[in-house]
Each structure stands twice: as structure tokens, then as C-alpha cells.
Amino acid sequence: MKEDGGEVEYQRRGPVALVTMNRPRYRNAQNSAMTYALDDAFTRAVDDQDVAVIVLAGAGEHFSAGHDIGTPERDADTSFPRRAVQWWDHTPRAGADRRYAREMEVYLGMCRRWREMPKPAIAMVQGACIAGGLMLAWVCDLIVAAEDAFFADPVLRMGIPGVEYFAHPWVLGPRIAKEVLFTGERFGARRAYEIGMVNKVVPRDELESTTLALAGKVAGMPAFGLALAKRAVNLCEDQMGMRSGMDSVFGLHHVAHSHNAEVSADPLGGLDAAAMKRAAKEAAQ
């Protein structure tokens, strides 16, 4: 079964639901429409008793370039139904109130909601997995990366201490997390494997087959056992401070936005998508 169109495609591959971000023209940059389409697809997969494992993919050359901060389809001013947090609509609000309300729902809240899905999720990553793209991969339980995959959280260039779903110290370890944030530099799939962030690294032409084979192996385990094992590991991460740490850093994230707005009249510190891309190229030289 395959359903095309829109920001997200949904396919069934036996016991596997393949959920594909479908904005390849913009390297699958995440606007709010995509966020809610992903949530619809994940909910559908969770409710389908014949689905045992969910695979998250990105159409085209890249997994995800992060948050949509400048495409013609950016919809930050659009109201969507709130599902992740019980908070007011951001659209009639102003200043920090507006940004905090939106980002608590569509970024931090949604990522936490997806992390807690009772079915195992596997990210299938190729090309760019940048900033907000990291969040989408990190909420998955396993990550399979193509050899051409690269990762980065460069938002410190905006004066912001990391993306909203601040899992860095738990996913990367404190010292690598600091290096990734302090430099904003990309790191490749092989290093991601060496530090334990991804489970497998394979040639690009083997990415889908390897990911689906892994998903099939996981799907053979008892569904309730998988749900309990997933919850057990997540609870232990939270006991190690992950959830409370995210809450604290989310506040710092918005202090940075507010500071930028005060000193430059731009919550992103004057850096749009093109400027961030130029900075990344300069840092690589």
C-alpha cells in the first residue's frame, strides 16, 4: 500500500510502516504542515495492529535540512490543532509568547510525543541531517545511516545553544556534544557510528534494504515486549535527567531568541537559511 502526495508519504511494507518526509525540493525542511502530517502518519501506524515497526525516511538526496526558516511554504504564522501540549494558539500572540507557544508544541512537544510511541521506530538517514533533522532522527529508537550521511547542529551561530529537543548530552555524550555545539561543524556517518549515535552505516544503495531488513527482524519480536523494552530504556534516560534537562535548556533556547530580538530585532540573529549554508561552507574550508 502506498499513498503519495502532501508533505508526508505513507506506505505499508508488510509489518513495517514506511513514513517518508516529502519536501525534497527543500531538502525536507520541516514546516508545521509536515509536523502534523508526520504526527498523523505515526498515529496511523501506532493504531494499525498489523504494523510492528515504523521507519522514518526522507525523500530525495537528503534526510532533513532542519526547520523551515525561509521556504515559500513556511507556515510559522498558521494556526494548527495543538496535540502535544495544552497551551494557547501562538498566532494572536506577540514576542516571546508567540515563539515559545509555537515551539513548545511543534518542536519540543511533538518530538517527545513521537519518542513515546509504543512501537519501535528506525530512522533511515542519507545526506543532510541538520539541526531540526537531528531531532527527527533522535526520537527514533535506531538509526541506519548511509555512508554519505552527515550531521550537525550549527544553531550556535545564531547565538542559540542547540535545537529545541536538546538530547545532545545523552545521545552524543557531554564532550562530543560540546564539540558539536561549540564548532557547529558537520560530522560524518562513520564518526556518528563510532560515538554510538547510529546503529549501522551502509553504502547508499543498500540503505533501504538494510533498514527494512533490520525492521523485519525487530518486527518478529513480541509487540508488547517491544513496547515495554522501549519504555524501559526511555524511563532510564529520563531518570538520568534527559526530560528535566530538556525543559531547562528549552528555557535557555528562548532566552537566546529573546536576546537576539532585543539586540538585532531578529530572533535568529540575522541568519537566514542561505547565511547558515555559507557559514557551514566557510567552516569546512
Side-chain angles (χ1 to χ4, degrees), residues 103-169:
E103 293 192 357
M104 187 165 53
E105 163 71 9
V106 300
Y107 297 146
L108 179 61
M110 278 294 186
C111 283
R112 282 177 166 174
R113 174 176 165 90
W114 299 336
R115 173 179 178 256
E116 294 174 359
M117 293 186 294
K119 296 182 179 180
I122 304 174
M124 184 167 71
V125 179
Q126 81 282 5
C129 182
I130 306 296
L134 284 175
M135 294 166 46
L136 298 174
W138 284 351
V139 299
C140 295
D141 305 292
L142 306 174
I143 301 175
V144 180
E147 291 173 339
D148 68 350
F150 58 92
F151 309 87
D153 184 357
V155 300
L156 191 58
R157 295 192 180 108
M158 299 175 172
I160 297 169
V163 291
E164 295 85 353
Y165 183 82
F166 193 82
H168 306 57

Side-chain angles (χ1 to χ4, degrees), residues 84-96:
V85 297
Q86 189 71 300
W87 202 263
W88 48 66
D89 181 13
H90 71 286
T91 53
R93 304 284 170 166

Side-chain angles (χ1 to χ4, degrees), residues 63-284:
F63 178 76
S64 176
H67 299 334
D68 186 345
I69 60 173
T71 83
E73 297 165 21
R74 187 168 190 258
D75 51 10
D77 297 330
T78 303
S79 178
F80 286 87
R82 290 168 305 287
R83 301 176 188 169
V85 297
Q86 189 71 300
W87 202 263
W88 48 66
D89 181 13
H90 71 286
T91 53
R93 304 284 170 166
D97 184 351
R98 179 188 185 90
R99 182 174 292 272
Y100 188 87
R102 178 174 182 268
E103 293 192 357
M104 187 165 53
E105 163 71 9
V106 300
Y107 297 146
L108 179 61
M110 278 294 186
C111 283
R112 282 177 166 174
R113 174 176 165 90
W114 299 336
R115 173 179 178 256
E116 294 174 359
M117 293 186 294
K119 296 182 179 180
I122 304 174
M124 184 167 71
V125 179
Q126 81 282 5
C129 182
I130 306 296
L134 284 175
M135 294 166 46
L136 298 174
W138 284 351
V139 299
C140 295
D141 305 292
L142 306 174
I143 301 175
V144 180
E147 291 173 339
D148 68 350
F150 58 92
F151 309 87
D153 184 357
V155 300
L156 191 58
R157 295 192 180 108
M158 299 175 172
I160 297 169
V163 291
E164 295 85 353
Y165 183 82
F166 193 82
H168 306 57
W170 294 271
V171 175
L172 303 172
R175 294 198 185 281
I176 302 300
K178 289 176 181 177
E179 178 187 342
V180 167
L181 291 167
F182 290 178
T183 67
E185 292 178 349
R186 299 174 174 180
F187 58 101
R190 184 57 55 186
R191 189 173 191 213
Y193 176 80
E194 290 170 351
I195 62 177
M197 195 193 93
V198 307
N199 299 89
K200 293 178 182 291
V201 178
V202 298
R204 177 67 171 270
D205 60 2
E206 297 176 16
L207 178 62
E208 182 171 322
S209 61
T210 301
T211 304
L212 292 177
L214 177 60
K217 183 177 292 187
V218 174
M221 300 295 279
F224 190 48
L226 284 170
L228 293 179
K230 175 172 179 170
R231 184 162 178 79
V233 176
N234 285 358
L235 286 170
C236 288
E237 280 188 312
D238 289 340
Q239 288 291 321
M240 290 187 282
M242 183 166 162
R243 187 176 184 88
S244 58
M246 280 188 185
D247 284 334
S248 298
V249 179
F250 189 67
L252 297 177
H253 181 99
H254 283 274
V255 167
H257 277 311
S258 297
H259 174 75
N260 285 343
E262 282 198 43
V263 301
S264 69
D266 180 0
L268 299 182
L271 293 179
D272 57 14
M276 290 292 282
K277 188 174 181 180
R278 286 196 300 272
K281 286 183 177 180
E282 291 169 3

